[in-house]
Amino acid sequence: MTKKGFGVYATLFAALLSAAAGIYLQFQGGVFGAMKRQCYDPIVVGLLLSALVVGVALIAVKKYGLASAAVTALSGVALCKFATVHDAYWYVSDVFTAIDEKGFDPNFLIFAGLVLAAFVVGEIAIFTPKTRKTKA
């Protein structure tokens, strides 16, 4: 008989972090800094929310390894799309070159922290055992 291991719970936690980031970006509106730079992208929100749906669905059908890989991939793609393709790159550049003199907006740091945490926890989940044997 087997029970769920740490990797399954780490996958679920990564999926929840990803969904929290998506919900946060949706309700925050993606406006950061003193210059009110618009960094909202519905595709990023969709990727982050789909990580929860896909992760839970794959865990429900006992595809634990695929679930951790999918959650990590979706949060990683969302992070890359937000950071490089959209206006977040320009916002970070504005802060580093002192065009936006107020520094990083706390909302930006919270969102980036949630997405990065989802990705890192997902990576950890990939390499941890998904099941453990119990004594029968």
Side-chain angles (χ1 to χ4, degrees), residues 108-126:
F108 178 81
L109 296 175
I110 290 169
F111 173 73
L114 283 170
V115 176
L116 188 60
F119 180 71
V120 170
V121 171
E123 283 289 332
I124 292 168
I126 287 175

Side-chain angles (χ1 to χ4, degrees), residues 14-133:
L16 287 173
L17 284 171
S18 183
I23 291 168
Y24 187 79
L25 184 63
Q26 178 68 32
F27 286 113
Q28 195 273 334
V31 178
F32 302 118
M35 297 179 64
K36 304 291 183 203
R37 178 147 329 251
Q38 179 67 31
C39 299
Y40 177 78
D41 189 355
I43 295 173
V44 171
V45 173
L47 287 167
L48 292 169
L49 294 176
S50 66
L52 178 65
V53 174
V54 170
V56 169
L58 288 171
I59 287 173
V61 296
K62 299 183 192 273
K63 300 289 184 187
Y64 304 132
L66 187 57
S68 59
V71 168
T72 303
L74 287 167
S75 61
V77 168
L79 178 62
C80 288
K81 179 155 176 34
F82 179 78
T84 59
V85 176
H86 219 287
D87 282 336
Y89 172 81
W90 296 113
Y91 172 66
V92 172
S93 297
D94 288 349
V95 172
F96 282 143
T97 59
I99 294 171
D100 190 340
E101 296 174 357
K102 302 267 185 193
F104 281 110
D105 188 343
N107 292 324
F108 178 81
L109 296 175
I110 290 169
F111 173 73
L114 283 170
V115 176
L116 188 60
F119 180 71
V120 170
V121 171
E123 283 289 332
I124 292 168
I126 287 175
F127 297 104
T128 55
K130 311 297 185 283
T131 58
R132 57 188 168 126
K133 295 185 180 192

Side-chain angles (χ1 to χ4, degrees), residues 5-24:
F6 176 77
V8 173
Y9 299 111
T11 301
L12 286 173
F13 185 60
L16 287 173
L17 284 171
S18 183
I23 291 168
Y24 187 79

